[in-house]
Amino acid sequence: MAESSRIRILDPRLANQIAAGEVVERPASVVKEIVENAIDAGSRRIEVELEAGGSRLIRVRDDGIGIGADDLPLALSRHATSKIASLDDLEDVASLGFRGEALASISSVSRLELISNAADDPSGGWRVVAEGRQMEPRVTPAPHPRGTSVLIRDLFFNTPARRKFLRTEKTEFGHVEEAFRRLALSRFDITWLLRHNQKVVHQLPGVAVDQAGRERRISAMLGKRFLNESLFVDLEATGLRLWGWVGQPTYSRAQADQQYFFVNGRIVRDRLVAHAIRQAYRDVMFHGRHPVFVLYLELDPRVVDVNVHPTKHEVRFRDGRLVHDFLFSSLHRALASVKPNDSEAGAEDESASVDQGQANGPLVGPDGATPGSSDWQQQRMSLAGQHGGGAGSYSSSPESQRADRPAAQRIREFMAGYHALHPDHESSLLTPRADGAGAPGGEAADVALGERPAAAVTTLAQTDDTQAPPLGYAVAQLHGVYILSQTERGMVIVDMHAAHERIVYERMKQQIHAGALDAQPLLVPVSMAVSAGEAEVAEQEREAFARLGVSLDAAGPETLLIRQVPALLADADIEPLIRDMLGDLERYGRSDRLETRINELLSTMACHGSVRANRLLTLPEMNALLRDMERTERSGQCNHGRPTWTEMSMTQLDKLFLRGQ
């Protein structure tokens, strides 16, 4: 046998360089590994300093517990850690790092030195570096305050093949900044500082672990608009807790660049999690768009395995189906619960939303801003800002004077103005006629729009002059397409076809899924070849398939017979759909493909059955549509994810026309 083919033990530097290929991809991965060690050390302040995007210098300094002089030589050794000592520790690991490979791998592809002090005496620090092919550690005294500093110079200087794959300084710093953002979002109580080329980029003070403190950190990292157009969720069930912020469906991104999911404080990118969130946004997200979210899942560390990937970006749940269903149901309910009547009129800082160049859509929070913006509104808001319309210039605006009036008086004035515009409709809007046709939510109005309501619609009480409906009262129809409504806060514009399409669609879904779906037996059963695993899944999920109108029988160890399908899908090619469902059930423990296909058909039926453009509506019909929107789930978006309405407040209108300046 040739000498070159004999088995030999790799020298430590080469072994570490091979290991570095798994955990050190670019400067951002170095920052992640070092900072996670700082967090595990109990730090309350972490500073990250970079030069040339991190390729020339990375310095991470913390005020944690530090490393004793006796332990420093082991700090740069492979498989040396203070975080686990047995298999039981690994199964219940709560720290971010635990493999004991990061520092050794990084030191093999850079010039690394570590200075640490575990005592309160600032003169008692020590420095350690690894030298030579054997990477022997050398320890020398070095004054340092309590904590640790890690300096990495000339990343990949001795591996030119790796170094040439680094991108431009701007690109590499962008990756580091994203890693920094994820870490800062994982721990709100830590003070963070990021410098690049001697310039402070982010300086984030530690905040109290409460709602207000967390929102300050979120706003600093992702912008105030993210908070304004997101829902806060906090749900707990079966030992799982999910809390955080999810964006409104109409506030979406062209890329999945604002999606942060943490499991017990660890940022993860998991297929099961991504699938559950994608399902929750299924019929409210515009095609080609991506939702935004910052979510935190807390569960027993013993039921999640974090030791499945070298960079610990992926996890494995012991009961993946339970986690998937919890995430999906929690987010699905949260998104479905948003209706126009969730707004809190008059409680928002409207000038802030104007400065951001957005118009308000469905209101969900104290500041009332959600995604209903459109390009023409943004352009006009931007134009108003160029003319000097700052938030500070509104202290003496007419809106400020209006805000001081009692709410009831404001509504009376609004109603008086509405009645003055349309005196002929006053009695029909406020007093239901005997046949019900004049009431805003009367049955005749719903019939005129093409459907009979599933339940009685509430009418406006004649004696209640202190509460106005969230979407106000219709004033006019614009070009046969939009409804213009006057609200207590300003005005609302509604896309009547899109809004009615959502209302019809939701009612059809309720009617279809309230009972068993109509099923149609096949005259000739469809035979389908499957794997043994898919056949086992089909047997386990027999009842789930039956609830959706599908009957599957085993005709052999790897053969299934499709005997019955939903009546709505009688003419569809059912075999690929069933095959995809089995694949989803095997991978995620859940599949929504059949339900999605049925909903697609219902959506098409709702689209064709909804009021069309250029259909002239009476004021009672328009008001009936507004009242239906106020109580319909997901009414802020049509079936295709487009916004159904948008709002402009009086403050925004005043600023648009430079009033009070």
Side-chain angles (χ1 to χ4, degrees):
M1 183 178 293
E3 182 70 21
S4 60
S5 64
R6 293 186 59 189
I7 298 175
R8 61 173 59 85
I9 298 176
L10 298 175
D11 65 70
R13 177 174 290 277
L14 180 56
N16 287 339
Q17 287 175 338
I18 294 173
E22 296 179 341
V23 297
V24 184
E25 178 185 0
R26 57 188 350 135
S29 55
V30 174
V31 171
K32 171 187 175 294
E33 296 292 341
I34 302 300
V35 172
E36 284 183 349
N37 282 339
I39 295 175
D40 288 339
S43 305
R44 286 297 173 264
R45 179 181 178 86
I46 299 176
E47 301 179 8
V48 181
E49 183 176 350
L50 308 171
E51 291 182 9
S55 60
R56 184 185 307 152
L57 172 70
I58 300 173
R59 178 187 286 114
V60 178
R61 181 173 179 176
D62 66 64
D63 61 352
I65 60 175
I67 305 174
D70 295 337
D71 289 337
L72 273 178
L74 291 173
L76 302 186
S77 301
R78 290 187 68 194
H79 309 305
T81 179
S82 62
K83 301 171 185 178
I84 61 172
S86 66
L87 181 60
D88 292 338
D89 295 336
L90 182 62
E91 293 177 350
D92 196 19
V93 65
S95 58
L96 297 177
F98 50 84
R99 293 172 181 264
E101 294 181 274
L103 288 176
S105 299
I106 295 169
S107 66
S108 69
V109 293
S110 67
R111 295 184 172 94
L112 181 147
E113 61 177 297
L114 186 151
I115 310 171
S116 189
N117 186 359
D120 294 327
D121 182 5
S123 63
W126 295 85
R127 175 190 288 108
V128 62
V129 296
E131 299 177 329
R133 293 181 61 86
Q134 298 301 315
M135 300 191 68
E136 292 293 336
R138 181 169 61 91
V139 180
T140 57
H144 190 278
R146 184 182 183 91
T148 302
S149 290
V150 182
L151 287 80
I152 298 100
R153 294 185 174 90
D154 302 324
L155 186 63
F156 300 137
F157 79 98
N158 55 357
T159 52
R162 300 284 303 280
R163 189 175 182 86
K164 71 179 182 181
F165 282 99
L166 292 179
R167 303 308 183 197
T168 64
E169 176 180 324
K170 180 180 179 181
T171 300
E172 293 301 336
F173 176 71
H175 287 287
V176 173
E177 187 177 22
E178 178 63 19
F180 179 87
R181 184 178 291 110
R182 294 173 179 175
L183 292 162
L185 292 174
S186 71
R187 288 293 298 269
F188 295 92
D189 56 327
I190 295 178
T191 297
W192 298 88
L193 180 67
L194 175 63
R195 291 191 189 94
H196 185 221
N197 294 335
Q198 288 79 50
K199 179 183 178 181
V200 175
V201 180
H202 292 292
Q203 189 168 5
L204 307 171
V207 296
V209 186
D210 56 18
Q211 184 73 2
R214 289 166 174 163
E215 289 185 352
R216 285 196 299 271
R217 176 67 59 84
I218 295 288
S219 180
M221 287 284 90
L222 301 177
K224 186 174 181 180
R225 189 179 179 189
F226 177 92
L227 276 179
N228 289 343
E229 305 198 7
S230 298
L231 302 169
F232 180 77
V233 297
D234 191 349
L235 300 166
E236 190 169 359
T238 62
L240 306 173
R241 183 194 177 198
L242 179 70
W243 63 275
W245 295 262
V246 291
Q248 289 272 27
T250 42
Y251 177 60
S252 57
R253 308 276 292 184
Q255 298 176 337
D257 58 349
Q258 286 194 5
Q259 298 184 348
Y260 302 93
F261 193 88
F262 301 86
V263 176
N264 291 341
R266 183 192 308 276
I267 184 77
V268 300
R269 296 191 298 266
D270 187 81
R271 289 187 301 175
L272 182 144
V273 170
H275 184 265
I277 296 175
R278 190 166 58 249
Q279 276 192 316
Y281 280 90
R282 180 175 50 205
D283 62 354
V284 292
M285 181 64 64
F286 192 66
H287 61 82
R289 305 291 293 182
H290 299 271
V292 299
F293 53 83
V294 179
L295 291 170
Y296 302 82
L297 178 65
E298 298 175 359
L299 71 168
D300 189 338
R302 291 171 294 182
V303 300
V304 56
D305 183 7
V306 298
N307 189 31
V308 297
H309 193 275
T311 61
K312 300 177 287 294
H313 277 152
E314 298 177 7
V315 295
R316 182 183 295 116
F317 299 101
R318 180 178 297 176
D319 191 344
R321 181 166 188 167
L322 174 65
V323 174
H324 184 285
D325 289 352
F326 174 69
L327 294 177
F328 166 74
S329 60
S330 299
L331 298 180
H332 186 264
R333 288 197 305 268
L335 294 171
S337 66
V338 179
K339 301 176 186 177
N341 55 10
D342 292 334
S343 62
E344 299 180 14
E348 74 291 338
D349 180 7
E350 294 173 322
S351 61
S353 63
V354 173
D355 290 338
Q356 296 175 22
Q358 67 185 28
N360 288 337
L363 307 178
V364 297
D367 47 12
T370 61
S373 318
S374 58
D375 293 339
W376 66 269
Q377 290 165 336
Q378 293 180 355
Q379 293 168 1
R380 283 155 177 75
M381 294 299 101
S382 177
L383 180 64
Q386 294 171 7
H387 286 278
S393 64
Y394 270 145
S395 58
S396 59
S397 67
E399 177 64 15
S400 299
Q401 301 171 10
R402 284 193 296 267
D404 294 332
R405 303 176 188 174
Q409 179 63 21
R410 293 177 65 190
I411 295 175
R412 291 189 188 97
E413 292 176 0
F414 148 68
M415 289 298 298
Y418 177 83
H419 295 156
L421 283 173
H422 300 281
D424 296 339
H425 293 280
E426 177 175 350
S427 60
S428 63
L429 284 174
L430 295 180
T431 306
R433 298 204 307 260
D435 59 2
E443 183 176 306
D446 274 321
V447 172
L449 290 177
E451 63 169 317
R452 185 175 298 273
V457 183
T458 57
T459 59
L460 179 67
Q462 184 177 6
T463 58
D464 188 0
D465 60 356
T466 62
Q467 292 185 1
L471 292 180
Y473 299 95
V475 174
Q477 190 176 13
L478 305 179
H479 298 284
V481 178
Y482 302 103
I483 295 173
L484 176 62
S485 174
Q486 181 177 337
T487 69
E488 178 189 349
R489 292 163 29 86
M491 73 174 186
V492 162
I493 301 175
V494 175
D495 184 333
M496 65 181 194
H497 172 72
H500 194 236
E501 185 179 16
R502 169 60 71 177
I503 293 170
V504 175
Y505 176 50
E506 290 297 326
R507 288 180 177 172
M508 292 177 70
K509 283 200 301 183
Q510 291 176 4
Q511 293 169 1
I512 288 291
H513 297 296
L517 286 171
D518 290 338
Q520 178 173 319
L522 299 179
L523 293 177
V524 179
V526 177
S527 176
M528 184 172 68
V530 296
S531 67
E534 289 173 333
E536 183 179 355
V537 169
E539 180 63 28
Q540 293 174 349
E541 303 295 336
R542 178 183 293 274
E543 293 184 4
F545 278 107
R547 285 196 298 270
L548 294 172
V550 176
S551 175
L552 294 177
D553 287 338
E558 296 183 350
T559 304
L560 292 176
L561 290 180
I562 307 174
R563 297 188 179 278
Q564 179 178 280
V565 298
L568 286 172
L569 301 180
D571 297 327
D573 187 2
I574 197 68
E575 182 179 343
L577 190 59
I578 299 298
R579 195 176 300 280
D580 289 342
M581 289 181 65
L582 292 172
D584 285 349
L585 288 168
E586 248 188 326
R587 177 175 297 182
Y588 307 114
R590 179 187 175 94
S591 177
D592 68 335
R593 291 181 185 268
L594 192 63
E595 186 178 358
T596 298
R597 187 68 178 272
I598 293 172
N599 286 343
E600 286 174 356
L601 294 175
L602 295 180
S603 177
T604 301
M605 295 167 62
C607 183
H608 289 288
S610 301
V611 60
R612 314 300 296 179
N614 298 319
R615 158 85 180 276
L616 296 180
L617 301 181
T618 65
L619 283 175
E621 289 174 335
M622 287 186 274
N623 280 289
L625 181 62
L626 298 178
R627 303 292 81 78
D628 279 346
M629 290 176 62
E630 289 166 356
R631 69 176 192 277
T632 299
E633 292 182 347
R634 308 174 188 88
S635 61
Q637 306 84 35
C638 75
N639 309 348
H640 314 291
R642 292 188 293 267
T644 59
W645 67 281
T646 188
E647 180 180 38
M648 291 189 72
S649 67
M650 288 304 296
T651 296
Q652 291 172 309
L653 290 169
D654 288 343
K655 190 162 189 177
L656 182 63
F657 292 101
L658 307 180
R659 292 179 58 85
Q661 315 230 348

